[in-house]
């Protein structure tokens, strides 16, 4: 990336901070909105489950397989999708992703058989492949590593915000629209929550800039500062061939860590409404309102821990400790499953811990990957890690069918979080603390 002469004020920390504030205000709220509608379309099947299993006579295992098969399509197309994004630009490719997944998500309302359920979930995974790692890659075009922790966290608070917004919204839709036009509440939910993805995808085409040089809303001095900082950091990274990146032991270690954390994430995302229902809460709206509590608390936890990690420039323990807290929370939710208040307390601790690990995790691989190698490496880590999105709901569903309880599934997810914490602290500090 070329650099140009830098305004004399560029060395001034105040000028630099103001420039990054300007970039953040322009990009991050919009990217967060994109991820909120994306994540809502990915996990709203957890709410649909409250009604559709009874309507369609699906077993817990069928649900778990359908919820998880999304990630097979996601896995198969993740790396090529992210490489295409790096080549053609984020604006066109992210818009394509959002529009196609919005249409497919809305089509979930027509599911009547297990095969239709599996096929549409698989196609939804293909449609969304490349979105999340594409945004992580996109942020490396704008921010150096020591500023990316907080930025990535603000973006990934979308997971928690989708729970805060989506839980009550999904519950309200399912309860209020049930029976209208002869459709069940879960059918209305899929339709109404698919439309925003299409609309936001169209806005992406007009709003997003591919690179710093394309940003007409930045002055030449601001562009020069941003380009200089990115170029200086990229000098210490390796833009390795795709084949070398995909066979790198460091990339596979990152994949194993992320896999462990995603096991916990989708255990909570797909089963939180069910666990709350098992404590004795019956109304879909009440369940939706209660699911907002863990996610709302997680937003605060994510931001505070990310601020501490960026301030101290320490990554490993800021990831490992929340992972361990997440494991403790899952175990407590099992121990207190007969008490709604105490179970919700355990689930809140679990959600805070699990969601806090995820954005900070991405400061690890982006500390040593650059260029096309970064596009491929980030996509491989995300795709392998998200295979846990297939295994986690399927394993919990199968264990629930076998034992008539989600307890053993939560113990499995807690063990995965502990393993992820141990692998994280095994990463050399000099490689990632920058």
């Amino acid at each position: 990336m070329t650099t140009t002469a830098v305004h004399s004020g560029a060395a001034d920390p105040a000028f630099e901070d103001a420039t990054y504030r300007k970039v953040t205000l322009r990009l991050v709220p919009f990217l967060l909105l994109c991820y909120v509608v994306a994540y809502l379309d990915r996990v709203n099947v957890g709410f649909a489950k409250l009604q559709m299993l009874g309507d369609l006579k699906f077993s817990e295992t069928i649900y778990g397989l359908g919820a998880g098969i999304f990630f097979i399509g996601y896995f198969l197309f993740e790396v090529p999708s992210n490489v295409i994004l790096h080549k053609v630009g984020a604006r066109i490719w992210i818009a394509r992703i959002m529009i196609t997944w919005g249409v497919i998500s809305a089509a979930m309302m027509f599911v009547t058989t297990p095969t239709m359920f599996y096929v549409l979930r698989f196609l939804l995974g293909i449609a969304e492949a490349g979105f999340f790692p594409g945004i992580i890659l996109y942020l490396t075009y704008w921010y150096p590593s020591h500023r990316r922790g907080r930025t990535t966290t603000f973006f990934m608070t979308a997971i928690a915000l989708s729970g805060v917004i989506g839980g009550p919204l999904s519950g309200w839709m399912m309860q209020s629209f049930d029976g209208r036009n002869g459709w069940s509440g879960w059918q209305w939910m899929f339709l109404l929550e698919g439309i925003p993805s299409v609309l936001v995808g169209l806005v992406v085409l007009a709003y997003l800039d591919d690179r710093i040089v394309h940003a007409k809303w930045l002055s030449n001095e601001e562009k020069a500062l941003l380009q200089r900082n990115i170029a200086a950091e990229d000098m210490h990274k390796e833009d390795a061939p795709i084949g070398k990146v995909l066979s790198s032991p460091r990339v596979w270690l990152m994949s194993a860590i992320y896999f462990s954390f995603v096991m916990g994430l989708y255990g909570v995302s797909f089963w939180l409404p069910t666990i709350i229902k098992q404590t004795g809460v019956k109304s879909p709206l009440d369940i939706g309102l209660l699911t907002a509590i863990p996610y709302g608390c997680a937003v605060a936890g994510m931001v505070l821990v990310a601020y501490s990690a960026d301030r101290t420039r320490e990554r490993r323990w800021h990831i490992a400790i929340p992972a361990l807290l997440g494991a403790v929370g899952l175990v407590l939710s099992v121990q207190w499953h007969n008490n709604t208040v105490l179970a919700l307390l355990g689930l809140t601790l679990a959600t805070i811990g699990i969601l806090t690990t995820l954005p900070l995790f991405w400061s690890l691989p982006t500390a040593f990957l650059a260029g096309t190698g970064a596009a491929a490496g980030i996509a491989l880590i995300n795709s392998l890690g998200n295979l846990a999105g297939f295994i986690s709901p399927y394993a919990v569903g199968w264990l629930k069918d076998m034992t008539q309880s989600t307890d053993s599934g939560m113990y499995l997810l807690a063990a995965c979080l502990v393993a992820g914490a141990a692998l994280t602290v095994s990463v050399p500090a000099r490689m990632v603390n920058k």
Side-chain angles (χ1 to χ4, degrees):
M1 183 179 292
T2 58
T3 57
T4 57
V6 181
H7 185 273
S8 59
D12 179 7
F15 176 77
E16 183 167 335
D17 287 344
T19 301
Y20 280 107
R21 260 195 313 274
K22 187 175 182 180
V23 172
T24 297
L25 289 173
R26 169 77 183 192
L27 297 182
V28 175
F30 181 68
L31 295 176
L32 186 149
L33 171 65
C34 292
Y35 198 28
V36 165
V37 295
Y39 198 80
L40 189 57
D41 282 345
R42 183 189 298 186
V43 302
N44 59 9
V45 70
F47 275 94
K49 172 182 182 288
L50 299 174
Q51 290 180 347
M52 71 184 296
L53 263 64
D55 288 354
L56 303 179
K57 305 300 186 288
F58 287 178
S59 69
E60 297 285 350
T61 302
I62 289 174
Y63 164 74
L65 179 58
I69 207 168
F70 167 98
F71 295 97
I72 301 300
Y74 194 83
F75 169 77
L76 293 174
F77 288 86
E78 187 86 322
V79 173
S81 181
N82 218 36
V83 172
I84 291 172
L85 182 146
H86 184 64
K87 299 295 185 183
V88 307
R91 183 178 65 89
I92 291 175
W93 201 244
I94 290 173
R96 191 284 304 164
I97 289 171
M98 295 193 67
I99 293 168
T100 54
W101 95 51
V103 171
I104 295 170
S105 181
M108 287 285 295
M109 68 180 292
F110 299 114
V111 166
T112 56
T113 67
T115 300
M116 291 179 66
F117 185 41
Y118 300 152
V119 169
L120 284 174
R121 288 291 294 177
F122 180 75
L123 291 176
L124 189 64
I126 293 175
E128 194 179 327
F131 174 76
F132 176 76
I135 298 298
I136 296 298
L137 177 67
Y138 183 65
L139 292 176
T140 69
Y141 300 158
W142 297 83
Y143 295 92
S145 61
H146 69 276
R147 289 183 180 271
R148 247 186 343 261
R150 271 175 288 178
T151 304
T152 304
T153 294
F154 289 141
F155 164 62
M156 289 189 69
T157 56
I159 298 177
L161 289 173
S162 69
V164 173
I165 299 167
L169 183 63
S170 297
W172 174 77
M173 286 178 180
M174 289 173 61
Q175 186 164 302
S176 299
F177 286 83
D178 191 33
R180 294 193 184 185
N181 200 43
W183 296 342
S184 296
W186 61 269
Q187 293 177 298
W188 278 106
M189 183 195 68
F190 279 129
L191 173 64
L192 296 175
E193 291 183 355
I195 293 171
S197 295
V198 177
L199 297 178
V200 174
L202 293 172
V203 174
V204 167
L205 290 170
Y207 187 83
L208 213 58
D209 297 294
D210 288 329
R211 298 276 187 158
I212 294 168
V213 69
H214 301 129
K216 296 179 181 179
W217 42 274
L218 289 172
S219 69
N220 290 334
E221 292 81 5
E222 291 167 336
K223 290 180 183 179
L225 168 66
L226 297 172
Q227 290 174 320
R228 184 189 66 184
N229 288 348
I230 295 299
E233 181 171 87
D234 284 350
M235 289 175 58
H236 303 288
K237 296 181 179 179
E238 181 182 10
D239 187 0
I242 292 177
K244 184 176 179 181
V245 169
L246 299 185
S247 61
S248 167
R250 290 191 296 184
V251 170
W252 283 85
L253 172 61
M254 295 295 148
S255 300
I257 295 171
Y258 196 53
F259 180 93
S260 301
F261 295 155
V262 173
M263 283 290 289
L265 170 65
Y266 287 112
V268 169
S269 297
F270 288 130
W271 291 95
L272 182 57
T274 299
I275 295 171
I276 291 175
K277 183 178 180 179
Q278 288 175 344
T279 67
V281 182
K282 301 302 181 185
S283 163
L285 178 57
D286 290 342
I287 293 171
L289 291 170
L290 289 175
T291 61
I293 295 173
Y295 287 115
C297 294
V299 172
M302 293 169 75
V303 172
L304 290 173
V305 175
Y307 177 81
S308 174
D310 276 0
R311 182 177 57 82
T312 61
R313 300 201 180 188
E314 195 286 324
R315 307 295 175 190
R316 300 179 310 153
W317 289 105
H318 281 84
I319 298 169
I321 292 174
L324 294 174
L325 290 176
V328 170
L330 288 176
V331 172
L332 291 177
S333 72
V334 167
Q335 297 297 318
W336 295 334
H337 67 274
N338 290 321
N339 185 302
T340 300
V341 174
L342 292 179
L344 192 62
L345 179 62
L347 289 169
T348 299
L349 180 61
T351 305
I352 293 171
I354 293 167
L355 293 187
T356 296
T357 65
L358 297 173
L360 290 178
F361 162 80
W362 287 106
S363 64
L364 305 183
T366 55
F368 61 85
L369 292 171
T372 304
I378 291 169
L380 177 66
I381 293 165
N382 192 60
S383 61
L384 289 173
N386 272 288
L387 282 178
F390 169 74
I391 295 171
S392 179
Y394 182 68
V396 174
W398 180 80
L399 287 169
K400 188 174 187 293
D401 275 342
M402 293 298 101
T403 65
Q404 303 305 308
S405 171
T406 56
D407 291 6
S408 55
M410 295 304 106
Y411 287 135
L412 170 64
L413 302 183
C416 290
L417 292 172
V418 173
L423 290 173
T424 299
V425 296
S426 75
V427 177
R430 66 181 180 278
M431 189 172 84
V432 296
N433 290 342
K434 298 179 180 180

